[in-house]
């Protein structure tokens, strides 16, 4: 509603009156409360002014500074560029009420434990220590919970550093482990764009290591270490984003051995740990790490709320001290009330119940998406994920995934093209389809219908791709 009203306010002239609440309720099929909240958002943005008894009016626009000469900044900033390509689309809301997002990196509000979050935040606010300064590494009880929930027996609270979300953990790990500009960082191909952006911000050269439906290929990882001299490998062994894969049990030891032979670290990113579609997630590589080689990252935001910016780094040895110092320099500590709220949330029985229900719902949506793809887009190949929120869909050779994503948006559905997920040239065109960002399976179905109308070539079965059951589909790069 706010997006539509924002566009309407920008279309009208200053002083023009917006439609009345009653007319908006009738025309847009929303409640008066929704209209009131949308108007409040626009008033806070300074786009409108509300006059009791008269209505809402477009505010005067501030004088612009389009004539200012800002060209000097290009010389001062130099050649280095900072790009958020591939990240902003994962976090930003669609921007229009009629758009269906199959691209967001976060769950729909209906999948969040709203009542438990409210209770946890209220309790945190009433704590006598709520506005005290917390320890820079985090509240001891929250650190202990992360250690206990992730890899009991391998680590303890002293090895945990609380961070403001998973992205901050990635950025800290990259900065702490890499020496300087131009140093290589190995990463699975494809991989999470946020990790690529963090590495490039640190001046690293990201080198791809091929992966298949069983995860990264250990032999190629060992070869990449030997050729590049890299000191770190970024990976997602569980519920990979975007591929949805899980590192095969038979490859785990070989991946650790490859890093050991190269005297290198493994950055294990595990944000989907709490998003298993089955009874439990796989063991993290951290659990098999005997010599402090794994720097483990995780976050609560995917399973709870985008605004619960609580993540954790688990590391042992001198690297832990460096990571702690890096975090202190960057933003000192995470606010006590937020940490307290997170601790209140995850230590109650309602949390385990929420995770079970969330996993079951994600599994249902994943199956529904697979059925819709087979029925409406038979030219697409994929491997159903065992956890997480995404399905990695391979398109036929010669398809331009960027053009498909652009046409899809025009048709009313947002999808992520595959190319931002690759450190180098993509070997094949893909789309990442998120099944957690919509309000229901009905919206998911509508989204795929819109995608099919936008890309009719995907609705035709290629002669070389015979139809098969969803469970048998495997996209191979």
């Amino acid at each position: 509603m706010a997006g539509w009203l924002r566009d309407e306010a920008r279309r009208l002239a200053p002083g023009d009156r917006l439609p009345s609440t009653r007319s908006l309720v009738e025309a847009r099929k929303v409640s008066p409360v929704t209209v009131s909240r949308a108007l409040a958002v626009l008033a806070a943005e300074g786009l409108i002014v509300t006059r009791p008894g008269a209505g809402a009016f477009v505010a005067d626009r501030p004088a612009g500074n389009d004539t200012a000469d800002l060209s000097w900044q290009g010389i001062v900033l130099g050649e280095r560029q900072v790009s958020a390509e591939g990240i902003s689309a994962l976090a930003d809301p669609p921007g229009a009420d009629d758009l269906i997002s199959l691209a967001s990196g976060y769950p729909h509000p209906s999948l969040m434990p709203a009542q438990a979050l409210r209770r946890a935040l209220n309790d945190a606010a009433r704590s006598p220590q709520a506005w005290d300064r917390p320890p820079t590494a985090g509240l001891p009880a929250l650190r202990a919970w992360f250690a206990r929930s992730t890899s009991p027996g391998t680590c303890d609270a002293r090895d945990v550093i609380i961070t403001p979300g998973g992205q901050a953990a990635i950025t800290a790990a990259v900065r702490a482990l890499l020496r300087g500009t131009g140093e290589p960082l190995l990463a699975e191909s494809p991989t999470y764009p946020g990790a690529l952006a963090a590495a490039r911000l640190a001046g690293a050269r990201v080198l791809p290591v091929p992966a298949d439906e069983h995860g990264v290929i250990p032999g190629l990882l060992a070869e990449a270490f030997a050729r590049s001299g890299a000191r770190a490998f970024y990976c997602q062994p569980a519920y990979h984003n975007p591929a949805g894969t899980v590192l095969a049990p038979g490859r785990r030891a070989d991946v650790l051995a490859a890093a050991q032979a190269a005297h290198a670290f493994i950055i294990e990113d595990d944000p989907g740990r709490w998003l298993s579609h089955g009874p439990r997630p796989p063991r993290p590589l951290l659990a098999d790490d005997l010599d402090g080689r794994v720097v483990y990252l995780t976050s609560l935001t995917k399973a709870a709320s985008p605004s619960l910016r609580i993540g954790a780094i688990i590391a042992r040895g001198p690297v832990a001290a460096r990571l702690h110092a890096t975090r202190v320099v960057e933003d000192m500590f995470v606010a006590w009330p937020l940490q307290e709220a997170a601790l209140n949330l995850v230590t109650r029985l309602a949390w385990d119940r929420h995770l079970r229900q969330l996993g079951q719902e994600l599994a249902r949506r994943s199956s529904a998406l697979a059925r819709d793809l087979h029925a409406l887009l038979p030219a697409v190949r994929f491997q159903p994920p065992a956890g997480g929120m995404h399905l990695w869909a391979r398109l036929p050779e010669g398809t331009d995934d960027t053009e498909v994503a652009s046409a899809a948006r025009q048709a009313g559905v947002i999808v992520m093209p595959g190319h931002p997920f690759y450190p180098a040239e993509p070997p094949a065109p893909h789309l990442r389809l998120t099944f957690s960002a919509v309000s229901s399976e009905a919206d998911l179905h509508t989204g795929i219908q819109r995608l099919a109308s936008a890309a009719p070539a995907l609705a035709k079965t290629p002669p070389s791709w015979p139809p098969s059951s969803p469970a048998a589909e495997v996209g191979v790069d």
Side-chain angles (χ1 to χ4, degrees):
M1 189 68 217
W4 183 89
L5 278 174
R6 189 179 291 108
D7 292 341
E8 188 72 4
R10 288 169 176 164
R11 184 183 64 81
L12 297 173
D16 285 353
R17 187 176 184 274
L18 289 172
S20 68
T21 297
R22 178 178 296 178
S23 63
L24 288 171
V25 167
E26 295 174 353
R28 305 297 296 179
K29 307 300 182 186
V30 295
S31 71
V33 174
T34 299
V35 175
S36 297
R37 288 176 177 172
L39 291 173
V41 169
L42 267 63
E45 293 175 357
L47 292 177
I48 67 170
V49 291
T50 57
R51 300 170 188 165
F57 299 83
V58 178
D60 291 335
R61 297 186 175 93
N65 59 350
D66 295 340
T67 59
D69 181 8
L70 307 178
S71 60
W72 64 272
Q73 294 186 7
I75 297 175
V76 176
L77 294 173
E79 297 180 356
R80 181 168 174 249
Q81 295 183 353
V82 178
S83 173
E85 181 188 10
I87 306 178
S88 58
L90 305 180
D92 290 343
D97 295 335
D98 57 346
L99 280 174
I100 292 177
S101 176
L102 303 183
S104 172
Y106 295 104
H108 188 270
S110 63
L111 299 179
M112 300 176 195
Q115 183 176 354
L117 283 165
R118 283 193 295 269
R119 187 184 303 115
L121 194 58
N122 286 337
D123 290 349
R126 288 195 293 266
S127 169
Q129 298 174 297
W131 299 108
D132 288 355
R133 169 177 169 158
T136 54
L139 298 182
L142 184 58
R143 296 166 68 194
W145 180 86
F146 271 110
R148 187 171 61 252
S149 302
T150 302
S151 184
T154 305
C155 58
D156 59 32
R158 294 169 297 179
D159 303 319
V160 179
I161 303 166
I162 302 301
T163 69
Q167 188 65 35
I170 295 172
T171 302
V174 170
R175 288 185 178 180
L177 294 179
L178 301 185
R179 290 192 179 101
T181 301
E183 184 170 358
L185 172 69
L186 303 185
E188 295 161 312
S189 181
T191 193
Y192 169 53
L196 297 178
R200 289 163 181 158
L201 183 63
R205 293 184 298 115
V206 185
L207 304 179
V209 182
D212 58 20
E213 66 270 24
H214 304 297
V216 70
I217 302 172
L220 297 180
L221 174 63
E223 182 179 344
F225 271 129
R227 286 178 175 271
S228 67
R231 300 197 312 147
F233 167 53
Y234 171 83
C235 62
Q236 303 169 81
Y239 314 141
H240 185 279
N241 177 12
T245 53
V246 173
L247 182 64
R251 293 186 178 184
R252 294 169 59 91
D254 291 338
V255 168
L256 288 166
Q260 184 180 36
H263 303 289
F265 288 98
I266 294 175
I267 303 174
E268 181 180 11
D269 192 10
D270 195 12
R273 176 165 190 79
W274 325 106
L275 305 176
S276 175
H277 297 180
R280 62 178 60 88
R283 279 164 56 88
L285 283 178
L286 176 69
D288 299 330
D289 176 31
L290 301 178
D291 56 359
R293 195 160 305 280
V294 174
V295 173
Y296 179 87
L297 320 176
T298 190
S299 169
L300 295 177
T301 58
K302 304 296 185 186
S305 165
S307 289
L308 190 67
R309 306 301 303 169
I310 293 291
I313 301 173
I314 300 179
R316 295 174 293 158
V319 70
R322 179 175 294 188
L323 284 161
H324 184 202
T326 301
R327 290 291 314 126
V328 171
V329 170
E330 287 181 341
D331 54 19
M332 195 66 72
F333 52 79
V334 178
W336 190 310
L338 201 58
Q339 293 191 59
E340 189 80 39
L343 183 62
N344 288 342
L345 177 70
V346 299
T347 53
R348 290 175 172 163
L349 293 177
W351 175 248
D352 291 334
R353 182 169 62 251
H354 163 68
L355 292 183
R356 287 194 300 271
Q357 294 172 347
L358 178 61
Q360 292 166 2
E361 177 62 21
L362 291 176
R364 283 192 292 268
R365 292 182 178 212
S366 177
S367 297
L369 177 57
R371 290 193 299 269
D372 285 341
L373 290 177
H374 276 279
L376 301 174
L377 297 173
V380 168
R381 289 201 295 177
F382 59 91
Q383 175 180 337
M389 306 185 298
H390 316 294
L391 185 146
W392 189 231
R394 176 168 174 172
L395 309 183
E397 295 294 337
T399 305
D400 188 321
D401 54 1
T402 302
E403 290 183 358
V404 170
S406 178
R409 188 178 184 97
Q410 293 298 317
V413 59
I414 306 174
V415 297
M416 282 289 293
H419 74 272
F421 295 87
Y422 285 96
E425 293 80 7
H430 287 80
L431 296 178
R432 196 196 71 171
L433 304 175
T434 302
F435 44 83
S436 64
V438 293
S439 61
S440 64
E441 289 184 21
D443 278 355
L444 189 61
H445 179 70
T446 301
I448 298 303
Q449 285 181 319
R450 294 179 180 181
L451 179 57
S453 69
L458 302 182
K460 301 175 182 178
T461 305
S464 59
W465 289 16
S468 59
S469 67
E473 289 285 347
V474 175
V476 181
D477 290 340

